Amino acid sequence: MNTKNLYQRASVLIALGLACCLPARAADDALFRELGGQPGIDKIVADLLPIVLADARINAFFQKADMPKLGVLLAEQFCQLAGGPCVYSGRDMVSAHDQMGVKAAHFSALAEDLQIAMETSKISSAASNQLIAKLAPLKRAVVR
Ligand code: HEM
């Protein structure tokens, strides 16, 4: 193969590579960016924890909880779910909520509290709904 052909082939491969992967990458972390990146997510979680502790529907669950640790792990988890560059380092959702007796109504209450925390940060309702939708599949592991 001559040099010109080689260049042509290389540029086709590069174009294909860009077409396949670049938009996907950008779209993948779109939610993370809409939530304000890591500082935005940290603020959402910092706002969420006092809302949860003031919520009589669910605050009994958190009486003995290590709230600072929970905040760190929730921020990691939200970041990862939103396509950000984090790796959640906590327990899996079944182990973390085992024997707690969390019911569907408790799950909905927490989701509502999270929505309020996101409103406080002026997160768009589209982005807010997307994060809630990412959490919805975890319900089966949390509610037993
Ligand atoms: C999508 C919904 C939920 C998510 C993403 C979530 C996430 C988490 C995470 C990341 C942890 C820490 C795990 C670890 O220690 O390694 C945790 C613990 C815990 N969660 Fe959830 N959770 C959810 C729903 C709920 C609900 C509905 C309740 C009760 C109303 C609840 C109560 C707790 C409690 C009490 C702990 C233990 C905290 C501690 O012992 O320090 N969670 N959850």
Side-chain angles (χ1 to χ4, degrees):
M1 194 186 301
N2 65 30
T3 320
K4 194 179 161 209
N5 276 348
L6 200 65
Y7 277 131
Q8 265 173 358
R9 207 170 251 214
S11 53
V12 167
L13 284 177
I14 289 168
L16 280 176
L18 292 178
C20 108
C21 306
L22 274 186
R25 264 190 89 86
D28 273 348
D29 72 351
L31 179 56
F32 174 69
R33 287 182 283 111
E34 291 208 39
L35 295 174
Q38 198 60 59
I41 290 176
D42 290 346
K43 176 170 183 335
I44 291 166
V45 172
D47 289 342
L48 171 65
L49 296 183
I51 296 172
V52 166
L53 290 177
D55 185 341
R57 297 172 297 177
I58 53 173
N59 56 9
F61 285 94
F62 297 90
Q63 236 167 23
K64 291 184 185 149
D66 179 345
M67 295 307 277
K69 182 177 153 216
L70 180 60
V72 170
L73 290 172
L74 273 180
E76 275 180 14
Q77 197 183 27
F78 291 172
C79 164
Q80 183 173 322
L81 284 170
C86 318
V87 179
Y88 170 63
S89 66
R91 289 175 288 168
D92 67 84
M93 288 296 95
V94 172
S95 314
H97 302 91
D98 202 26
Q99 313 287 322
M100 251 181 217
V102 177
K103 299 293 166 217
H106 303 130
F107 190 92
S108 304
L110 187 74
E112 267 176 44
D113 291 349
L114 175 57
Q115 264 167 328
I116 294 168
M118 287 192 278
E119 275 166 26
T120 309
S121 282
K122 307 237 182 313
I123 302 299
S124 72
S125 48
S128 169
N129 289 341
Q130 279 178 48
L131 182 62
I132 298 289
K134 300 251 179 215
L135 294 172
L138 303 179
K139 185 171 175 180
R140 285 186 62 220
V142 172
V143 174
R144 309 296 291 170

